[in-house]
Amino acid sequence: MRRSFIVAATCLFLLTGTAPAQMKFAVGPHLGISFSSFPKPSDQYYGIGFNFGAQAEMELMKNVGIRFGLDYGTFSSDKAKFGFTNGGQPVPSSDVSGLGVGILGISFTGLGKLPLKGGVTPYGLFGFGLNMISVSDLVVKVNGQDYTQLKGDTSTKFGIHFGVGTEYRVARNIGVFGEFKFNLIFTEGSSTSTFPLMFGANFWL
C-alpha cells in the first residue's frame, strides 16, 4: 500500500511539472444512495444505504484530472429478517436495534475526461483508498431488558474503485455532476462491495 501511494505521488509530480499553466482547482460536496453487496450471510440483512461527502479536484490538463475524496456511507440492517423469538413468540422488529454499518472512505482518484460542446464533460475514473468500517452492536429488548446478541467491530481496509460520470458547467466556475462507481473493499474471507450513485457540485477556483 505504501508503494502505491509513492507511485501515485510520483505520477502527480511528473504531471503537474509538465503543464502548470493549465492546472485548475475545484472543491465541492456530493451525496446520494449506495447499493451494497456484503459477504454472506450478512448480505441478506442489508440493501440500499445513504452516502455523502466532499471532494477536492485538480485538473492537470484538458483531459486529465485527479481527485481527493472523503466519503461516508451508512447502511441500516433489516431488523425483520433476524427472526428472534422469546418463549416461542417472535420478537417485534421494533425491539431489535443496531448492526448498522458505517464506512468512512479516504480516496485518491484519477480522472480521464472527454470535454464536449455545451459544457458537458463525460469522464471515467479509477482510484484506491482506505476504508474505515464500523459495525454497531446488535441488541434485542426482552421484557424491557436489553440483551447484546452480537458485539460490533471496527476495522480499516484497503480498497479500489472505478466508474463513470458526467459534469455539466451551469456557470463558468460552477459544475454539477452525476456519478456511478464500483467500490471493492478487501475484507477478510470475502470482499465487500458498494455501488454509490451520487450527485454533487464542483466550485472551480
Side-chain angles (χ1 to χ4, degrees), residues 17 36 38 41 50 52 62 64 67 73 75 93 96 105-107 115 122 128 130 170-171 177-179 183 196 203-204:
S36 65
F38 293 159
F50 176 73
F52 61 92
K62 184 179 180 180
V64 179
R67 177 196 294 170
F75 301 87
S93 59
V96 182
I106 301 174
S107 62
F128 57 89
L130 294 177
V170 296
F177 66 87
E179 185 175 295
N183 290 330
F203 298 94
W204 291 92

Side-chain angles (χ1 to χ4, degrees), residues 72-189:
Y72 182 76
T74 178
F75 301 87
S76 297
S77 57
D78 187 345
K79 310 300 188 297
K81 293 184 177 180
F82 289 119
F84 289 109
T85 59
N86 179 31
Q89 297 298 316
V91 175
S93 59
S94 58
D95 289 339
V96 182
S97 61
L99 213 65
V101 176
I103 303 176
L104 176 64
I106 301 174
S107 62
F108 180 87
T109 306
L111 306 171
K113 303 184 177 185
L114 183 63
L116 304 176
K117 293 181 179 180
V120 178
T121 303
Y123 59 88
L125 61 91
F126 179 82
F128 57 89
L130 294 177
N131 300 272
M132 285 147 275
I133 306 170
S134 60
V135 182
S136 60
D137 294 347
L138 175 60
V139 178
V140 178
K141 180 176 290 187
V142 177
N143 299 325
Q145 182 68 38
D146 288 340
Y147 295 91
T148 299
Q149 302 297 309
L150 184 66
K151 290 292 293 182
D153 192 17
T154 60
S155 60
T156 300
K157 302 298 179 183
F158 180 76
I160 61 173
H161 57 269
F162 57 88
V164 294
T166 299
E167 181 175 358
Y168 174 65
R169 289 291 182 97
V170 296
R172 183 169 177 266
N173 295 322
I174 301 176
V176 294
F177 66 87
E179 185 175 295
F180 181 75
K181 63 182 178 180
F182 170 65
N183 290 330
L184 180 63
I185 305 172
F186 299 106
T187 46
E188 285 91 352

Side-chain angles (χ1 to χ4, degrees), residues 20-53:
Q22 300 180 34
M23 288 194 301
K24 300 177 182 178
F25 301 89
V27 294
H30 58 262
L31 57 84
I33 59 174
S34 188
F35 305 92
S36 65
S37 178
F38 293 159
K40 294 181 180 181
S42 301
D43 59 331
Q44 63 184 305
Y45 303 118
Y46 299 93
I48 298 176
F50 176 73
N51 67 280
F52 61 92

